[in-house]
Amino acid sequence: GEDVEQSLFLSVREGDSSVINCTYTDSSSTYLYWYKQEPGAGLQLLTYIFSNMDMKQDQRLTVLLNKKDKHLSLRIADTQTGDSAIYFCAEAPEGNLIFGKGTKLSVKP
Amino acid sequence: NAGVTQTPKFQVLKTGQSMTLQCAQDMNHEYMSWYRQDPGMGLRLIHYSVGAGITDQGEVPNGYNVSRSTTEDFPLRLLSAAPSQTSVYFCASSETGARETQYFGPGTRLLVL
């Protein structure tokens, strides 16, 4: 069945890079997504990558996709305290989003 | 442009009570969906709609009903609330489908006693 796995917690120091990892199961997913949820709020789309790409960069964010291993990662450069949130990886193999359980990123000053 | 709005923000129910969670969007989006978020479980799809008059079940539909009489509104009904339905409920919308950018509402926190 479809499943998206992520580690639950990550703690980094302000200014360091954060890397959040995700594995997914359905190789037919055309798009893979990263959503961010700040405390007490809904989710917002952070970035996404087409399955025919290996990498996508958007300012401080870098998404890497290893399609062979079904592994997706999100790198946040120069992590700030405002980046503290839960980050969700998601795939949409048959038209509906399947989310991972979310990685809670804590940024220490 | 208010985006996706949800009411109420918080609700406490007793077991067996019914209620409707409201969701509205003003972006003329065809696709709308309801998720529940539970600790350690991520988001799970309850019901979704690809347009007015069309609804379908998601991963966890039991105990919930939906209808889509207009493009703007997608209410979620709990017919007989159970403690297992204690959760945070999010409504989302996108232009035509889940593969596009989903816009989420702020959520409704529901406690069933």
Side-chain angles (χ1 to χ4, degrees):
Chain A
E2 300 134 349
D3 205 6
V4 178
E5 299 281 345
Q6 323 176 217
S7 53
L8 294 181
F9 301 99
L10 177 65
S11 180
V12 300
R13 292 210 172 274
E14 194 173 15
D16 288 350
S17 291
S18 308
V19 179
I20 302 171
N21 294 302
C22 167
T23 57
Y24 61 97
T25 54
D26 199 309
S27 56
S28 69
S29 289
T30 308
Y31 303 89
L32 294 145
Y33 309 84
W34 285 104
Y35 278 83
K36 177 183 180 182
Q37 184 181 32
E38 295 184 351
L43 279 70
Q44 56 180 128
L45 181 66
L46 203 55
T47 187
Y48 65 92
I49 188 168
F50 291 106
S51 59
N52 63 356
M53 296 169 67
D54 298 326
M55 184 180 91
K56 180 179 179 181
Q57 187 143 8
D58 184 1
Q59 298 181 330
R60 292 191 297 121
L61 304 178
T62 303
V63 179
L64 294 177
L65 174 61
N66 181 329
K67 204 172 174 187
K68 174 174 165 288
D69 295 338
K70 299 194 186 88
H71 183 266
L72 185 72
S73 67
L74 174 69
R75 179 177 181 267
I76 305 172
D78 187 25
T79 312
Q80 303 297 307
T81 54
D83 295 322
S84 293
I86 302 175
Y87 291 82
F88 291 91
C89 172
E91 61 171 347
E94 293 178 351
N96 285 315
L97 283 173
I98 298 170
F99 288 90
K101 292 179 172 52
T103 299
K104 184 173 182 179
L105 175 64
S106 298
V107 183
K108 300 184 190 309
Chain B
N1 220 343
V4 179
T5 57
Q6 291 184 238
T7 56
K9 285 188 177 177
F10 303 98
Q11 184 71 49
V12 179
L13 290 178
K14 293 182 181 176
T15 296
Q17 286 185 313
S18 62
M19 82 159 292
T20 300
L21 281 63
Q22 301 292 344
C23 173
Q25 50 89 11
D26 60 359
M27 299 174 281
N28 203 31
H29 285 171
E30 292 294 329
Y31 183 90
M32 296 185 75
S33 54
W34 276 102
Y35 293 87
R36 59 178 289 174
Q37 184 179 26
D38 302 294
M41 296 292 290
L43 277 83
R44 291 181 292 169
L45 182 65
I46 304 171
H47 284 285
Y48 65 98
S49 168
V50 297
I54 306 168
T55 63
D56 209 342
Q57 296 182 347
E59 182 188 352
V60 288
N62 291 342
Y64 307 95
N65 277 359
V66 291
S67 59
R68 186 93 181 271
S69 54
T70 67
T71 300
E72 295 77 21
D73 300 296
F74 191 43
L76 179 73
R77 276 181 285 278
L78 282 71
L79 300 174
S80 178
S84 61
Q85 293 179 303
T86 293
S87 188
V88 182
Y89 291 86
F90 289 101
C91 178
S93 75
S94 66
E95 282 194 20
T96 59
R99 289 176 175 165
E100 298 160 353
T101 302
Q102 296 292 307
Y103 294 86
F104 281 79
T108 293
R109 198 170 289 270
L110 178 67
L111 174 62
V112 183
L113 302 174

